[in-house]
Amino acid sequence: MKFHVFVFVGVVHLLSLNSGKAVYGNGISQRTFQEIKEEIACYGDVAKAIINLAVYGKAQNRSYERLALLVDTVGPRLSGSKSLEKAIQIMHQNLQEDGLENVHLEPVKIPHWERGEESAVMLEPRIHKMAVLGLGGSIGTPPEGITAEVLVVTSFDELQRRAPEARGKIVVYNQPYTSYSRAVQYRVQGAVEAAKVGALATLIRSVASFSIYSPHTGIQEYQDGVPKIPTACITVEDAEMMSRMASRGSRIVIQLKMGAKNYPDADSFNTVAEIIGSKYPEQVVLVSGHLDSWDVGQGAMDDGGGAFISWEALSLIKDLGLRPKRTLRLVLWTAEEQGGIGALQYYQLHKANISNYSLVMESDLGTFLPSGLQFTGSDKARAIVEEVMCLLQPINVTQVFRAGEGTDINFWIQAGVPGASLLDDLYKYFSFHHSHGDTMTVMDPKQMNIAAAVWAVVSYVIADMEEMLPRS
């Protein structure tokens, strides 16, 4: 990735009052931060109107009901599947019927993988049929499956220490869950590391904060020059049980069958809609979530909620007759679960206009009761966002945390564009993440109302302020 460096000169790294664009070279905005605070404070009544409409008014529960209709109709939306294609067409029609502007589809080539039939049965020291979910992109087993002894490890370091024992075996990872970011490396890299020491397959303890015997799937990555071996997730309970068995010296044998297949890339689309800016239409505040999901559950939480509060943000603003100075652009990404494939192609298509992006936003960590906003950007941009969040005092969601991120917006953030993501209950989120439990039952309409209000207030005010967010 090519990184873009933006240079600001002077004490106050703000923006041009007249053009609404970032200033480069020696140009410096003459506005003080106090003046910017006063500008933001003037949005108090607008923020209250958005909150009242979303949380207490005619729009309450709308994002929940819209989401329920889609996921009940279409179900899970795996990359390359007919259900994802159907969901995109439905959303394209919905956005047009909602009266949004410049509604269109941007073509993307995306991976197409199907899991097929799969099973894992412990044969020794007792017969036990295990719940299993193949990992995205995994190869399948031979039709008769792979029957082999198990080696249980808790880390890559232990795997290396016991490398001679791994050859010809199924490696089971029973890594502890301390955080998602630490544990997920075993799901992503586990097959490669095991293949390097001669393993036949891997079974990874599901990356989950809580489990009621629920396997959690997700993407994994093979590496050029390393043999590809089948890989799947098992439940926390089974991983821990086998770890206990191994510690007692029991011999564990598993038969693994996976019908997984990879197909040629499929045609898909990023789905786009806008409220075109009144003064600086070429400048953009982007709000987003991803429309694809894994092939289990309904994809309601990951990331139906994020996609639908992003749509709802534009709906609320339109319903109130508001038109910000900058364009508000909704993007519903495709193939996020395969590593942000749709977002990468969008970035490559639009990065020539990177200086016109004031803020990129993605909700992909649940739409439960928000704790606040995660933000990545310059100190001065952060100070502005903190003032904007003060407008959400009526619903008591005012905190600004570090590390705004999202698979689909990270391309922009790494290139210097300010980025924001919604933060809520991650323990609950990773309890259901990528599992059969990701259904509408997890969702709460009142919490979605509040999440949508946060999303709408932040996106509207940033889009309507006279100046773009400053970059470092």
Side-chain angles (χ1 to χ4, degrees):
M1 177 162 313
K2 183 178 180 181
F3 290 85
H4 299 253
V5 178
F6 297 85
V7 179
F8 292 80
V9 179
V11 176
V12 183
H13 296 181
L14 295 175
L15 307 166
S16 166
L17 178 60
N18 295 324
S19 71
K21 294 183 179 180
V23 176
Y24 307 102
N26 293 321
I28 303 172
S29 169
Q30 299 304 308
R31 301 180 76 204
T32 65
F33 184 66
Q34 181 59 36
E35 289 172 322
I36 293 173
K37 285 180 64 174
E38 290 170 1
E39 178 190 11
I40 294 169
C42 291
Y43 287 98
D45 288 343
V46 172
K48 288 177 183 175
I50 292 172
I51 291 167
N52 287 337
L53 179 60
V55 179
Y56 311 109
K58 291 183 178 179
Q60 65 176 312
N61 302 346
R62 181 169 62 185
S63 59
Y64 175 92
E65 290 164 1
R66 285 171 164 175
L67 174 62
L69 178 59
L70 180 84
V71 301
D72 289 346
T73 301
V74 176
R77 304 167 299 283
L78 184 64
S79 174
S81 68
K82 293 293 185 183
S83 57
L84 175 58
E85 182 181 332
K86 182 178 180 181
I88 291 170
Q89 295 302 324
I90 289 172
M91 289 307 301
H92 183 252
Q93 181 177 344
N94 285 344
L95 297 173
Q96 289 177 316
E97 292 175 353
D98 196 32
L100 298 176
E101 298 164 319
N102 195 23
V103 177
H104 65 279
L105 301 175
E106 297 189 2
V108 179
K109 283 287 188 181
I110 63 173
H112 180 192
W113 171 86
E114 296 180 8
R115 73 174 59 256
E117 296 294 323
E118 54 191 13
S119 65
V121 180
M122 178 190 292
L123 304 177
E124 296 181 33
R126 66 179 176 89
I127 302 295
H128 170 56
K129 184 177 181 180
M130 297 189 290
V132 62
L133 283 176
L135 293 177
S138 176
I139 65 168
T141 65
E144 68 276 12
I146 294 173
T147 301
E149 191 174 342
V150 162
L151 172 67
V152 182
V153 297
T154 59
S155 68
F156 290 139
D157 287 342
E158 183 181 359
L159 177 64
Q160 290 304 311
R161 290 196 305 270
R162 303 179 66 185
E165 301 175 59
R167 182 164 297 279
K169 292 182 180 175
I170 296 173
V171 169
V172 171
Y173 290 97
N174 183 38
Q175 75 284 351
Y177 183 90
T178 53
S179 70
Y180 181 78
S181 60
R182 290 181 180 178
V184 76
Q185 63 182 318
Y186 291 91
R187 190 195 77 203
V188 175
Q189 303 167 19
V192 166
E193 295 305 313
K196 288 177 181 177
V197 293
L200 300 179
T202 59
L203 296 173
I204 290 90
R205 169 181 167 145
S206 286
V207 184
S209 51
F210 179 76
S211 177
I212 306 179
Y213 202 70
S214 53
H216 297 237
T217 189
I219 198 67
Q220 60 85 37
E221 296 175 358
Y222 289 125
Q223 185 176 311
D224 290 343
V226 178
K228 295 180 180 180
I229 60 175
T231 181
C233 270
I234 56 174
T235 66
V236 171
E237 292 87 341
D238 280 341
E240 291 186 344
M241 178 182 69
M242 284 189 281
S243 184
R244 293 193 301 272
M245 288 175 169
S247 70
R248 300 184 193 115
S250 298
R251 181 175 185 266
I252 306 168
V253 176
I254 286 177
Q255 182 187 62
L256 176 66
K257 291 184 179 181
M258 293 175 60
K261 290 183 180 179
N262 287 281
Y263 296 90
D265 285 354
D267 293 321
S268 190
F269 303 91
N270 291 319
T271 308
V272 183
E274 294 179 337
I275 296 175
I276 297 171
S278 62
K279 188 173 183 180
Y280 311 118
E282 76 283 0
Q283 296 173 17
V284 175
V285 168
L286 185 150
V287 294
S288 67
H290 66 87
L291 199 54
D292 68 297
S293 73
W294 284 104
D295 56 334
V296 290
Q298 290 182 302
M301 181 193 75
D302 182 18
D303 181 35
F308 275 67
I309 67 159
S310 296
W311 173 19
E312 182 68 11
L314 270 68
S315 287
L316 292 167
I317 291 162
K318 177 187 65 66
D319 289 350
L320 289 168
L322 300 170
R323 184 176 292 276
K325 296 181 181 72
R326 275 169 211 88
T327 294
L328 266 178
R329 180 175 298 162
L330 166 69
V331 183
L332 305 179
W333 311 105
T334 189
E336 184 275 345
E337 297 293 3
Q338 282 61 43
I341 303 299
L344 175 59
Q345 293 181 48
Y346 177 91
Y347 175 74
Q348 291 170 336
L349 183 64
H350 295 276
K351 66 181 179 180
N353 298 316
I354 195 167
S355 62
N356 281 329
Y357 282 72
S358 181
L359 178 67
V360 290
M361 303 167 62
E362 180 172 26
S363 173
D364 189 20
L365 289 173
T367 48
F368 308 125
L369 186 64
S371 306
L373 203 70
Q374 292 176 283
F375 180 78
T376 296
S378 69
D379 289 343
K380 291 183 173 57
R382 172 176 293 277
I384 291 170
V385 170
E386 287 172 349
E387 292 300 317
V388 172
M389 289 297 288
C390 289
L391 298 170
L392 291 157
Q393 184 61 51
I395 50 176
N396 197 31
V397 184
T398 59
Q399 293 189 80
V400 180
F401 301 93
R402 297 283 172 185
E405 59 85 31
T407 297
D408 300 301
I409 61 172
N410 282 343
F411 304 106
W412 298 90
I413 293 173
Q414 290 167 8
V417 179
S421 49
L422 195 67
L423 182 65
D424 53 33
D425 186 351
L426 295 184
Y427 183 88
K428 183 176 182 180
Y429 181 76
F430 288 117
S431 296
F432 298 98
H433 182 249
H434 294 182
S435 78
H436 287 286
D438 182 358
T439 69
M440 283 305 297
T441 301
V442 179
M443 311 303 288
D444 184 311
K446 293 183 173 60
Q447 293 180 354
M448 283 190 73
N449 294 339
I450 294 172
V454 172
W455 222 226
V457 168
V458 172
S459 61
Y460 175 76
V461 174
I462 297 296
D464 196 58
M465 291 178 64
E466 188 58 40
E467 299 169 347
M468 288 176 64
L469 288 179
R471 303 183 189 179
S472 54

